[in-house]
Amino acid sequence: METVSKGQLLWQPSEKEIEKAGVTKFLQWIRNEKKLEINDVHHLWKWSVDELELFWGYVWEYCQIISYTPYSHVLQSRKMPGARWFEGSSLNYAEHVFRNDKGDETALIFQSEIVDIKEISWKELREKTASLADYLKETGVKKGDRIVCYMPNIPETIIAFLACASIGAVWSCCSPDFGMESVVERFKQIEPTVLIAVDGYVYNGKTSDRVEQVAHLQKALPTLKRTVLFKSIDSDHKRLNQQQTIDWQEVMKRKSELVFEPVPFNHPLWILFSSGTTGLPKPIVQSQGGIVVEHLKVLVIEEGVTDEDVFFWFTTTGWMMWNLLVGGLLTGGKIVLYDGSPMYPKPDVLWELAEKTKVSFFGTSAAFIQASLKLGMKPSEKYAFPHLKAICSTGSPLSIDGFKWVYNEVKQDVWLASVSGGTDVCTAFIGGSPVLPVRAGEIQTKALGVNAQAFNDDGKPVLNEVGELVILNPMPSMPIYFWNDAGDKRYKESYFSTFPGIWRHGDWIQFDEKGRSIIFGRSDSTINKQGVRLGTSEIYRAVENIEIVSDSLVVDLESLGKDSYMALFVVLKREQLLDDVLISHIKNVIREQVSPRFVPNEIIAVQQVPRTLTGKKMEVPIKRILLGHQPEKVINVGSMANPEILNTYIEFANKRKALNH
């Protein structure tokens, strides 16, 4: 493959594509209906943050939000935290989904490792949502009560969420691959009354029975009154509290009409949790109204998803991308769910699914794209993607090689949107635009209504240099609060302690004059050599491009009064030994491709890189262990995908400590 350099033009939208884009239609509506002359998407972004209240009022009107009562004002004050949006209005998330009801037409498409492609109609989705909502109300669930879910990415989970939202209850979900104590830590904080759970799941060809875990949850959550159990494997259910448990199929026999309970705009919709790699997971509460307007803005206006599209994102229920995937139903389009390993029973299973189901928006993680690249996959040689308009990547920065692989091996004429946001807002701060060119290694633009900037250490905005990602104005989907957080103490500490009144997100980012950006990794894992800072992603790109290296983790340890020490952990292929020749080669690659300044002090071979359940490298917790912190205080083992590897790093930390004394 030819060499691709940073910033190289890879794709340019055609005039027809620009004309059909959601953002173009929104711009035309503003010009025609509001008589405002906004020239292009750059001008639109500037206007959307300068005239924040007007912008969100127009989003409300353009997306035809259904409210039972009028709002008194869009936003009374831009103060953060504490901004209150659309006060006086009352609405329901589920109603905004089912206003798109198309009867016998398909709403959901589902595939798993054990279930071939299956379609669920709008009619079936509505009926089953109504059945569960009716059962929940009969058991005494009221507005504001918490319902927790321990389910994989299957249609029943969507049904459970929509039933919960329809009655104004508060939803929270953990994927069944989460460690049990990690699930208890999350759910216990929010005192749920109902648990909706699965008895097991299949991943990578292996069946995992979860009945014991469900029984444990029944005992560990004293506020639980009912458990609705969905049976997906052949398991022994006798261990469960039989008086408390009802079978999903039994609930589905109920016949009822779906009713939508109006709730205030700021009524809680769901509670998402931080990754939980350090301390007790943060219970992040987002509102019904905030999510409705934010997700309609992202999907309808920015991405241009219509009721004719097929929207897919590879995700588990433990990642915020599942919540955005459900949001695809707000557009009236079909959404595609996949449950299982993205590489099983064959590494191109998702690309085959995309072809069969005519996916138009294919969402995934940067890690999946990198894994496909590493395996030498060439989907375009086997599959045709005439319907595919966009490939969206998130979770971590997408490398230049990842950009190049998409255009060389998947589809040349496709909009590749690298996006970045977070669980904290359940949306993106920066992302793609189908009316702008795609350049290698760069994120195209800032999200509409989001005043994202890079700040230096003095709290001043900077261009063309790396700084802290900050958000200068409130967003409707920002947390309304953390659950049980007296005086918003944890909330303020999490985002507003560095720059009072300004949201600090914890990423290192660089913007140019056109709003394009590059993310360099988490700011608290950033490497700093004599005042020159570098995000870890640049080192990963160089090191993981070495054929024999399959994964890596870099940690820079800075201690007051001591020399900086940088360790690079590498996972090698084919039982390769890390000898002096390979160490020298890795250092030379970093020296030549990154900078001599960032050559590590030591390179260590390991079996695996520690990752969270959502696939993120655990840079900061490992950094803290190596700095001498107690492992149990900085790592929540239940949130790890591979907790068995942790001892390797603890032993290494102990050896370093002994050598330094």
Side-chain angles (χ1 to χ4, degrees):
M1 289 192 289
E2 75 281 2
T3 303
V4 172
S5 56
K6 188 178 83 173
Q8 185 175 326
L9 181 66
L10 298 176
W11 177 82
Q12 185 92 31
S14 66
E15 283 188 25
K16 187 178 179 184
E17 284 164 331
I18 292 172
E19 188 182 315
K20 290 174 70 177
V23 71
T24 304
K25 292 173 183 173
F26 181 61
L27 263 173
Q28 288 168 343
W29 179 83
I30 288 177
R31 289 184 192 126
N32 295 338
E33 298 294 321
K34 303 302 177 185
K35 310 303 179 193
L36 284 177
E37 275 310 310
I38 298 177
N39 307 323
D40 56 27
V41 72
H42 298 299
H43 185 187
L44 179 62
W45 175 82
K46 181 76 168 62
W47 172 82
S48 75
V49 295
D50 287 347
E51 303 293 341
L52 188 68
E53 297 78 9
L54 208 53
F55 167 71
W56 282 108
Y58 288 175
V59 170
W60 177 283
E61 191 178 339
Y62 182 77
C63 295
Q64 299 178 343
I65 303 297
I66 303 166
S67 180
Y68 289 82
T69 48
Y71 62 81
S72 55
H73 46 260
V74 174
L75 180 65
Q76 195 167 31
S77 163
R78 294 192 187 185
K79 182 186 174 189
M80 292 191 291
R84 295 188 66 82
W85 293 89
F86 295 99
E87 284 196 285
S89 63
S90 51
L91 42 65
N92 187 280
Y93 178 101
E95 184 169 12
H96 286 83
V97 167
F98 285 105
R99 68 176 174 174
N100 303 306
D101 189 339
K102 298 176 186 174
D104 291 327
E105 288 188 37
T106 301
L108 308 179
I109 303 171
F110 170 62
Q111 182 180 315
S112 74
E113 291 184 15
I114 54 175
V115 176
D116 203 3
I117 291 174
K118 169 182 166 185
E119 298 189 5
I120 291 94
S121 69
W122 280 96
K123 181 172 179 284
E124 183 182 346
L125 184 63
R126 178 184 279 269
E127 287 174 354
K128 290 185 171 179
T129 300
S131 297
L132 182 56
D134 185 62
Y135 171 75
L136 292 171
K137 284 189 281 192
E138 189 183 278
T139 60
V141 176
K142 306 181 297 298
K143 289 181 189 179
D145 286 349
R146 276 76 61 210
I147 293 173
V148 292
C149 186
Y150 186 62
M151 299 267 278
N153 186 22
I154 58 178
E156 289 73 18
T157 314
I158 304 273
I159 291 161
F161 162 65
L162 291 173
C164 177
S166 73
I167 64 176
V170 185
W171 170 264
S172 195
C173 187
C174 280
S175 176
D177 59 347
F178 272 40
M180 184 41 51
E181 288 314 307
S182 183
V183 177
V184 172
E185 275 188 347
R186 285 161 166 75
F187 288 169
K188 205 167 186 177
Q189 291 186 69
I190 61 175
E191 301 178 313
T193 57
V194 175
L195 166 67
I196 300 167
V198 74
D199 64 348
Y201 67 96
V202 178
Y203 187 89
N204 210 29
K206 181 188 173 189
T207 300
S208 295
D209 190 309
R210 279 294 178 264
V211 172
E212 190 177 321
Q213 284 79 359
V214 176
H216 181 74
L217 282 172
Q218 288 181 325
K219 291 172 186 168
L221 302 173
T223 53
L224 271 191
K225 295 175 183 172
R226 292 281 186 278
T227 300
V228 181
L229 185 74
F230 179 73
K231 297 173 183 174
S232 70
I233 65 167
D234 185 19
S235 58
D236 176 14
H237 305 115
K238 291 174 187 170
R239 289 167 284 174
L240 299 178
N241 179 330
Q242 297 301 317
Q243 289 181 315
Q244 191 187 93
T245 307
I246 185 169
D247 186 88
W248 175 276
Q249 299 303 339
E250 199 60 38
V251 174
M252 289 300 111
K253 291 176 184 174
R254 306 171 78 91
K255 299 298 176 194
S256 180
E257 288 298 314
L258 187 57
V259 178
F260 305 110
E261 294 286 341
V263 294
F265 187 94
N266 269 330
H267 183 81
L269 173 64
W270 55 45
I271 299 171
L272 303 181
F273 287 89
S274 63
S275 62
T277 49
T278 59
L280 204 61
K282 301 189 294 277
I284 298 165
V285 186
Q286 288 154 354
S287 69
Q288 284 234 13
I291 292 298
V292 167
V293 296
E294 176 60 44
H295 284 185
L296 282 170
K297 181 212 70 165
V298 171
L299 295 166
V300 173
I301 296 173
E302 292 180 312
E303 294 188 0
V305 183
T306 72
D307 62 356
E308 296 177 357
D309 280 307
V310 181
F311 186 69
F312 168 74
W313 211 292
F314 175 71
T315 179
T316 71
T317 55
W319 189 21
M320 59 141 283
M321 293 315 305
W322 182 85
N323 302 72
L324 187 71
L325 173 61
V326 179
L329 293 171
L330 293 168
T331 70
K334 300 171 188 165
I335 66 170
V336 180
L337 317 177
Y338 181 79
D339 181 44
S341 166
M343 298 286 178
Y344 184 90
K346 53 188 179 180
D348 59 358
V349 63
L350 296 186
W351 300 111
E352 181 183 61
L353 176 66
E355 183 190 56
K356 284 183 176 177
T357 59
K358 300 178 179 178
V359 165
S360 49
F361 285 79
F362 183 99
T364 186
S365 64
F368 173 76
I369 291 174
Q370 289 299 130
S372 300
L373 184 162
K374 283 277 187 183
L375 288 170
M377 286 172 55
K378 299 176 185 290
S380 61
E381 291 184 0
K382 195 171 176 183
Y383 306 108
F385 304 112
H387 301 90
L388 187 60
K389 300 177 194 172
I391 294 174
C392 304
S393 169
T394 191
S396 54
L398 182 61
S399 70
I400 292 171
D401 292 334
F403 275 82
K404 180 171 69 171
W405 180 83
V406 167
Y407 284 103
N408 284 348
E409 310 299 352
V410 183
K411 191 176 184 181
Q412 288 183 346
D413 185 21
V414 72
W415 167 43
L416 174 57
S418 177
V419 301
S420 183
T423 301
D424 322 77
V425 288
C426 201
T427 189
F429 298 123
I430 52 175
S433 174
V435 301
L436 295 174
V438 173
R439 299 179 185 277
E442 294 182 352
I443 297 175
Q444 289 171 287
T445 189
K446 299 175 183 181
L448 294 175
V450 181
N451 194 352
Q453 305 289 343
F455 268 19
N456 62 18
D457 288 345
D458 297 325
K460 305 294 182 189
V462 290
L463 286 176
N464 298 309
E465 63 179 88
V466 179
E468 286 274 4
L469 173 61
V470 296
I471 311 300
L472 303 187
N473 56 248
M475 297 164 58
S477 64
M478 279 178 174
I480 43 178
Y481 47 78
F482 288 174
W483 197 264
N484 280 342
D485 180 24
D488 287 334
K489 185 175 182 291
R490 290 184 75 196
Y491 186 13
K492 289 171 183 172
E493 283 174 357
S494 297
Y495 311 113
F496 301 103
S497 57
T498 306
F499 306 110
I502 292 171
W503 177 292
R504 171 191 172 270
H505 194 61
D507 282 338
W508 280 119
I509 193 165
Q510 179 177 311
F511 287 106
D512 70 8
E513 293 83 359
K514 289 190 173 288
R516 296 182 300 221
S517 60
I518 301 169
I519 287 188
F520 294 89
R522 294 294 294 173
S523 54
D524 38 14
S525 64
T526 303
I527 300 159
N528 186 356
K529 295 287 185 183
Q530 294 90 45
V532 178
R533 290 171 172 167
L534 183 83
T536 51
S537 61
E538 293 198 41
I539 288 179
Y540 295 143
R541 179 176 177 245
V543 172
E544 290 168 24
N545 213 27
I546 299 169
E547 201 277 330
I548 206 68
V549 178
S550 63
D551 207 355
S552 62
L553 180 81
V554 65
V555 180
D556 184 35
L557 307 180
E558 293 176 273
S559 299
L560 197 62
K562 294 181 181 178
D563 290 337
S564 173
Y565 166 85
M566 186 168 144
L568 174 66
F569 299 93
V570 292
V571 180
L572 305 177
K573 297 178 186 173
R574 301 192 298 271
E575 304 298 316
Q576 173 76 28
L577 286 174
L578 183 66
D579 55 20
D580 290 344
V581 174
L582 184 52
I583 288 171
S584 178
H585 176 59
I586 293 171
K587 288 185 175 182
N588 281 335
V589 166
I590 296 170
R591 187 177 287 110
E592 291 168 13
Q593 295 187 19
V594 185
S595 162
R597 189 189 294 267
F598 297 101
V599 172
N601 299 81
E602 191 171 359
I603 300 177
I604 308 99
V606 290
Q607 292 297 310
Q608 295 177 56
V609 164
R611 290 182 181 271
T612 66
L613 288 163
T614 55
K616 292 186 178 179
K617 298 184 186 190
M618 298 176 70
E619 297 171 319
V620 177
I622 296 301
K623 177 177 180 174
R624 290 177 180 170
I625 285 174
L626 297 185
L627 284 169
H629 295 261
Q630 293 297 313
E632 61 271 18
K633 291 184 179 177
V634 295
I635 287 202
N636 183 331
V637 175
S639 69
M640 290 184 69
N642 49 356
E644 68 279 2
I645 201 63
L646 188 55
N647 275 340
T648 299
Y649 296 83
I650 293 172
E651 286 168 12
F652 180 77
N654 291 336
K655 283 179 187 173
R656 278 205 76 241
K657 188 177 178 182
L659 285 171
N660 290 334
H661 279 292

